[in-house]
Amino acid sequence: MKRILGLITALLLTTSLICGGVTAHAADAADALHDNTLTVAMECAYAPYNWTQPDDSNGAVPIKDSSDYANGYDVMMAKKIAEELGMDLEIVRLDWDSLVPAVQSGTVDCVIAGQSITSDRLESVDFTAPYFYASIVGLTRVDSPYAQAQGLSDLAGATATSQLGTIWYDSCLPQIADGNILTAQESAPAMLMALETGRVNLIVTDIPTAKAALNAYNDFVLLDFTDTDDNFVVSSEDVNIGISVQKGNTQLKDAINGVLNTMTVDDFNNLMDEAIAVQPLSSGLPQGFLAQIGYLLQNYGDSYAKGAGITVVIAVICTAIGCLIGLVCGIIQTIPCEKQDGVCKKIGLLLARGILRIYVEIFRGTPMILQAVLIFYGAAFLFNINLNMWSAALIIVSVNTGAYMAESVRGGILSIPVGQTEGAKAIGMTHVQTMTNVILPQALRNIMPQVGNNLIINIKDTSVLFIIGVAELFSVHKGVVGATYAYFPSAVIEMGIYLAMTLICSAILRFIERRMDGESEYALVKQTGGLNAPRHTDSKQPKTGNLDLEMKGEH
Amino acid sequence: MSDNNRTIVEVQHLSKSFGPREILKDINFTVKKGDVTTIIGPSGSGKSTLLRCLNLLETPTSGDILFHGQNIEKTMNIPAYRSKVGMVFQSFNLFSNMTVLQNCMVGQEKVLRRDKETARQKAMTYLQKVGMAEYINARPRQLSGGQQQRVAIARALAMEPELLLFDEPTSALDPEMVGEVLAVMQNLAAEGMTMIVVTHEMAFARDVSNHVVFMADGYICEEGNPADLFGNPQNERTKDFLSRFRQN
Ligand SMILES: Nc1ncnc2c1ncn2[C@@H]1O[C@H](COP(=O)(O)OP(=O)(O)OP(=O)(O)O)[C@@H](O)[C@H]1O
Ligand SMILES: [Mg+2]
């Protein structure tokens, strides 16, 4: 029902085709039934199917590697399935685009996340029978001319939008006669914001999303034309919501189907109503922007703080490691290669430089978000290595920073005037001594602004780690917004936190730079008597007249 | 200056090319202990290149440089050799990340492996000699050109080299600072320091050095004691060069 297969899935599929054998690890996932833990992935940001909440109220389940809890229709369904199968339940929070790769690579046992059973997806994963039927409806505001619409034809000429990559946008909106269709929105909360702020008069979505939205926005009106002739035309593929498992894992699929077979459509709808009733903010957001910010800080303050903490820790550690990597690369790149050097040294240096060049170009030249997916899921998919989420995050960001810093360090070293090297050589220093005592201290000082840049970039760019489920600051935003629809207030809070973090980091770095520069003035050290030597500053050059230099001979 | 006849450096058939251009051609000369040799000549004649070949900042294309009879390229450890042959540059080249004192200590500690206290005392001795002992806490950028050059001389002296090379040490200085640096060099000469000085200061060549080498187009055209070379030059190019100098 939501976005179609992401670019990333396509990328992974291509990789897997090249390497041959897509179902190589089916057997591993079947182990799910043996190790007796059912690992279920979902976004935890797609109310009322699944959302994040700060406590375990209403039967919420802890999210793996996080202090938050997940709840919603999917969680309730997952609990029921795990209970019926006599298994322990583990909820993993993943970005929407990572759900298919995660189940494909066997990183998780199944995905219960409001995925519709499309033929595209069926090429990558297997689906159980539907666990919900999500009919298509419209939403508008009470004050809009469409509030009284009785059928699809009454919506003619509406200004409308929906969510990117959904059949709501791709096949339902075009059915509106003379519709003014605006660009698709990146998420359900964003789409609701577009309606609330009056940028559109109509959005099209499924019934659970619409019902949940009615709770949060009390000026919204539901336009449900189901069971009339004047309704959106959709195929069953578009409304059947299923649970996906790894291709060929019939054991798990059959077990889940066994549970679903005992439930009726009414059971599904009742469970969904139950979920909508306990969704955070089911009673509506407080009125007023500041009140909403206050509400979020009060209820999700801990989540924001933890997200910020994780973001800073990852950014600082990775900037440090990245600088070390960059330093090593930069030093290797600038080792002089002279005529008289041995063949081994020359070949070794050439080889090392070639490898470093490739490393720098690849990691500088591709988006970190794709690297994250490839390293995290690729390792599991191709080599059956299940990287811990945190190690993956640290590796990805460090290696990226290293690629940028390698060039900065190289530039920093090359920017030191050649006279410094010659001065050092002339008193007999070796290359290593010259580098450690003279060149690197100066080069490092010169690249401090680059280190600062990288730290700040890392603070912001760790946000792409949500794709592999790291609960950094931006993923907290996604979680909060997915549960509460408080899109705008949460964005303002996040902006404030990011800005505070980057400002503090800049200030600290500038302080370090000043320390590295040393004293801006110096005291003359009188050699014979005379305390209280005058202090000279940079601008006032000391005069040489008072020196008792013995001049022998005249010029 | 000194009647000690020990030869320190002997240059034999030295030549140096940059690509197809031959910059130094069949250079031969000898430096004995206590000699103050000045090298003069028109711009581009290869004076700096010769000096840089002497401590291997440039690798000679052919020919030999003997240090106490040993071929420096073939038999000596290059850093160890350089620690015995100091060099003072036109552009000072003080380490800008260090204070004056650290500049004068780092080579002693890292290259000669002297302990900190010894290095400090030696540094202070030579800084005092060049009149810069008061400025030990200053950084190079906080000093005038003449002061920087005097520190650079102290840095070279602190290594207690057998031979000191100067490449136009006063050319980058404002006129009022030239005197202070020349005075220091003159002092060193008087104390018997062996030096090779590339310079445009004809007065220094004439009055302080005991041997003058005139270079043009990569050749040594003429050499001899200052009185002869300045008083009665034999070579046409030397005459031409010196006459232009007198006019200025
Ligand atoms: N690294 C180099 N590559 C190519 N040519 C060089 C290099 N260094 C010096 N030269 C050339 O060698 C010639 C001699 O240069 P050098 O610096 O030795 O002259 P100089 O006698 O010291 O001149 P000046 O009095 O102006 O300092 C010049 O023509 C110069 O262009
Ligand atoms: Mg020169």
Side-chain angles (χ1 to χ4, degrees):
Chain A
M1 183 69 44
K2 283 183 64 186
R3 279 163 263 177
I4 49 166
L5 283 181
L7 162 67
I8 291 146
T9 322
L11 220 156
L12 265 178
L13 269 177
T14 323
T15 327
S16 70
L17 286 177
I18 293 165
C19 300
V22 183
T23 55
H25 307 299
D28 305 325
D31 290 345
L33 289 180
H34 303 301
D35 71 13
N36 215 40
T37 298
L38 185 67
T39 310
V40 180
M42 59 187 69
E43 277 184 289
C44 303
Y46 185 39
Y49 288 98
N50 51 69
W51 67 75
T52 306
Q53 61 185 54
D55 53 40
D56 63 355
S57 58
N58 305 313
V61 176
I63 299 173
K64 192 187 172 201
D65 290 332
S66 160
S67 54
D68 294 328
Y69 293 81
N71 210 347
Y73 180 76
D74 292 334
V75 177
M76 294 169 176
M77 186 59 83
K79 275 165 75 176
K80 183 171 173 62
I81 292 169
E83 193 179 312
E84 297 281 330
L85 299 180
M87 298 174 76
D88 296 328
L89 177 62
E90 184 173 68
I91 302 281
V92 175
R93 175 163 58 190
L94 284 181
D95 186 63
W96 177 260
D97 287 329
S98 292
L99 293 174
V100 172
V103 77
Q104 250 186 321
S105 63
T107 313
V108 299
D109 296 323
C110 63
V111 166
I112 310 182
Q115 284 180 313
S116 50
I117 308 171
T118 63
S119 49
D120 277 347
R121 259 180 219 139
L122 278 168
E123 284 171 16
S124 317
V125 294
D126 284 350
F127 270 99
T128 63
Y131 76 103
F132 192 74
Y133 301 92
S135 51
I136 308 290
V137 295
L139 274 177
T140 187
R141 289 183 318 278
V142 237
D143 58 357
S144 104
Y146 304 98
Q148 309 301 326
Q150 295 302 311
L152 178 59
S153 49
D154 291 344
L155 300 178
T159 301
T161 190
S162 187
Q163 191 181 344
L164 184 69
T166 58
I167 60 118
W168 315 332
Y169 190 86
D170 295 337
S171 70
C172 296
L173 287 182
Q175 297 174 32
I176 299 170
D178 302 323
N180 173 22
I181 313 298
L182 301 189
T183 320
Q185 299 291 313
E186 55 93 13
S187 66
M191 157 182 91
L192 298 176
M193 272 302 290
L195 179 61
E196 172 70 3
T197 55
R199 288 181 50 214
V200 295
N201 281 323
L202 176 75
I203 55 177
V204 173
T205 181
D206 66 359
I207 185 82
T209 311
K211 277 187 176 171
L214 287 178
N215 279 336
Y217 297 96
N218 47 24
D219 56 343
F220 280 11
V221 177
L222 181 69
L223 304 173
D224 189 354
F225 313 134
T226 323
D227 304 327
T228 72
D229 295 337
D230 198 9
N231 191 15
F232 296 104
V233 181
V234 288
S235 66
S236 64
E237 179 176 280
D238 299 327
V239 294
N240 291 355
I241 309 294
I243 297 171
S244 57
V245 299
Q246 192 174 38
K247 255 200 180 311
N249 190 356
T250 45
Q251 200 181 356
L252 182 61
K253 181 173 132 180
D254 293 345
I256 294 175
N257 275 336
V259 179
L260 294 179
N261 281 340
T262 64
M263 301 177 77
T264 65
V265 174
D266 280 345
D267 288 338
F268 292 159
N269 288 336
N270 289 339
L271 195 62
M272 182 61 86
D273 287 344
E274 207 180 297
I276 291 171
V278 299
Q279 187 188 346
L281 290 200
S282 54
S283 52
L285 275 170
Q287 289 302 306
F289 186 65
L290 287 178
Q292 291 179 357
I293 287 184
Y295 180 93
L296 289 184
L297 286 177
Q298 197 179 353
N299 287 277
Y300 292 91
D302 281 358
S303 305
Y304 284 118
K306 275 178 199 135
I310 289 170
T311 292
V312 166
V313 168
I314 293 180
V316 168
I317 293 178
C318 292
T319 307
I321 299 176
C323 286
L324 282 181
I325 297 175
L327 198 62
V328 172
C329 295
I331 289 171
I332 292 175
Q333 297 268 26
T334 52
I335 292 177
C337 194
E338 279 150 24
K339 269 209 308 283
Q340 64 264 34
D341 289 332
V343 183
C344 282
K345 185 181 168 191
K346 280 182 185 161
I347 292 177
L349 266 182
L350 237 77
L351 209 69
R353 282 179 195 169
I355 292 169
L356 290 183
R357 197 73 249 141
I358 293 169
Y359 156 63
V360 168
E361 295 301 343
I362 286 182
F363 281 90
R364 251 186 0 172
T366 57
M368 190 156 86
I369 192 164
L370 288 182
Q371 296 164 15
V373 170
L374 277 180
I375 291 177
F376 190 55
Y377 298 109
F381 194 88
L382 298 174
F383 308 111
N384 209 10
I385 303 168
N386 256 314
L387 271 178
N388 168 302
M389 175 178 89
W390 298 109
S391 11
L394 290 180
I395 291 173
I396 291 155
V397 182
S398 303
V399 158
N400 250 280
T401 313
Y404 280 96
M405 286 311 295
E407 285 300 283
S408 300
V409 173
R410 194 173 73 91
I413 292 173
L414 293 181
S415 76
I416 304 303
V418 65
Q420 295 288 310
T421 312
E422 295 195 337
K425 278 182 169 177
I427 55 172
M429 286 196 191
T430 60
H431 176 73
V432 174
Q433 288 171 334
T434 306
M435 287 305 273
T436 51
N437 294 296
V438 179
I439 306 301
L440 287 180
Q442 296 182 44
L444 288 182
R445 167 62 190 89
N446 288 353
I447 61 172
M448 274 311 282
Q450 300 291 333
V451 174
N453 264 344
N454 268 292
L455 179 58
I456 284 169
I457 288 172
N458 280 344
I459 286 175
K460 295 186 298 174
D461 281 7
T462 45
S463 57
V464 307
L465 294 175
F466 74 81
I467 197 103
I468 59 170
V470 177
E472 45 67 52
L473 185 53
F474 187 66
S475 80
V476 173
H477 169 68
K478 291 198 112 181
V480 169
V481 168
T484 63
Y485 301 142
Y487 197 82
F488 202 46
S490 179
V492 169
I493 291 172
E494 293 257 325
M495 289 280 279
I497 299 176
Y498 273 115
L499 199 60
M501 292 196 296
T502 52
L503 285 178
I504 290 169
C505 286
S506 308
I508 292 174
L509 279 157
R510 270 204 299 277
F511 174 75
I512 295 174
E513 280 182 29
R514 277 201 302 276
R515 289 295 301 268
M516 289 174 89
D517 284 341
E519 297 283 324
S520 67
E521 48 183 46
Y522 59 91
L524 285 185
V525 182
K526 277 271 183 263
Q527 295 305 301
T528 46
L531 298 165
N532 297 339
R535 287 176 81 78
H536 292 260
T537 61
D538 253 336
S539 50
K540 283 188 223 150
Q541 294 278 353
K543 283 279 171 268
T544 55
N546 55 352
L547 291 169
D548 56 341
L549 180 71
E550 275 182 69
M551 296 254 201
K552 287 185 189 164
E554 289 304 318
H555 280 277
Chain B
M1 194 99 337
S2 160
D3 45 18
N4 188 335
N5 266 356
R6 258 177 59 212
T7 300
I8 295 185
V9 168
E10 204 173 342
V11 177
Q12 298 175 336
H13 307 296
L14 180 80
S15 71
K16 170 70 185 173
S17 305
F18 288 114
R21 291 179 57 210
E22 198 172 20
I23 303 300
L24 295 179
K25 301 158 189 164
D26 194 29
I27 302 286
N28 296 281
F29 71 91
T30 305
V31 176
K32 294 204 179 72
K33 187 163 168 52
D35 275 357
V36 177
T37 306
T38 45
I39 302 176
I40 58 172
S43 187
S45 55
K47 305 182 298 293
S48 297
T49 308
L50 173 57
L51 216 56
R52 292 166 60 82
C53 281
L54 282 181
N55 74 351
L56 295 183
L57 283 179
E58 302 289 355
T59 314
T61 312
S62 67
D64 296 308
I65 300 170
L66 307 183
F67 185 72
H68 292 300
Q70 279 191 309
N71 187 313
I72 56 169
E73 274 189 278
K74 299 201 178 104
T75 60
M76 289 190 71
N77 171 304
I78 293 175
Y81 164 73
R82 284 188 182 132
S83 69
K84 294 180 185 146
V85 179
M87 176 129 177
V88 175
F89 301 86
Q90 184 174 348
S91 51
F92 328 133
N93 295 352
L94 289 178
F95 306 134
S96 31
N97 57 317
M98 301 179 196
T99 63
V100 164
L101 184 62
Q102 289 166 336
N103 262 281
C104 297
M105 287 172 64
V106 66
Q108 299 185 62
E109 288 181 75
K110 305 291 170 186
V111 180
L112 303 180
R113 307 243 163 251
R114 285 181 186 153
D115 65 79
K116 217 178 183 70
E117 199 37 51
T118 315
R120 198 190 138 79
Q121 275 166 12
K122 298 243 185 228
M124 290 309 295
T125 308
Y126 291 104
L127 281 168
Q128 222 135 24
K129 199 181 202 77
V130 301
M132 288 298 293
E134 290 188 322
Y135 296 92
I136 47 173
N137 293 327
R139 284 170 186 271
R141 65 183 141 79
Q142 297 165 324
L143 297 176
S144 74
Q147 292 173 324
Q148 289 192 53
Q149 194 60 297
R150 285 188 277 143
V151 173
I153 294 173
R155 176 176 73 179
L157 288 174
M159 302 295 287
E160 302 188 317
E162 295 182 42
L163 169 66
L164 211 43
L165 311 174
F166 292 82
D167 188 3
E168 300 194 30
T170 56
S171 295
L173 299 180
D174 290 341
E176 67 265 30
M177 295 171 189
V178 171
E180 65 190 58
V181 173
L182 287 180
V184 167
M185 293 169 63
Q186 194 170 0
N187 249 346
L188 291 175
E191 288 171 8
M193 183 79 212
T194 314
M195 316 198 285
I196 302 177
V197 184
V198 171
T199 186
H200 289 291
E201 297 289 334
M202 290 305 139
F204 182 88
R206 190 187 57 220
D207 302 337
V208 181
S209 67
N210 61 350
H211 190 79
V212 183
V213 173
F214 172 75
M215 280 185 74
D217 290 337
Y219 289 107
I220 294 183
C221 292
E222 189 169 353
E223 59 180 316
N225 70 52
D228 292 345
L229 197 123
F230 284 98
N232 183 19
Q234 301 299 310
N235 190 297
E236 280 307 312
R237 297 208 55 170
T238 322
K239 285 180 193 164
D240 188 42
F241 178 75
L242 290 176
S243 69
R244 261 188 292 135
F245 249 93
R246 290 210 182 86
Q247 278 159 23
N248 291 348

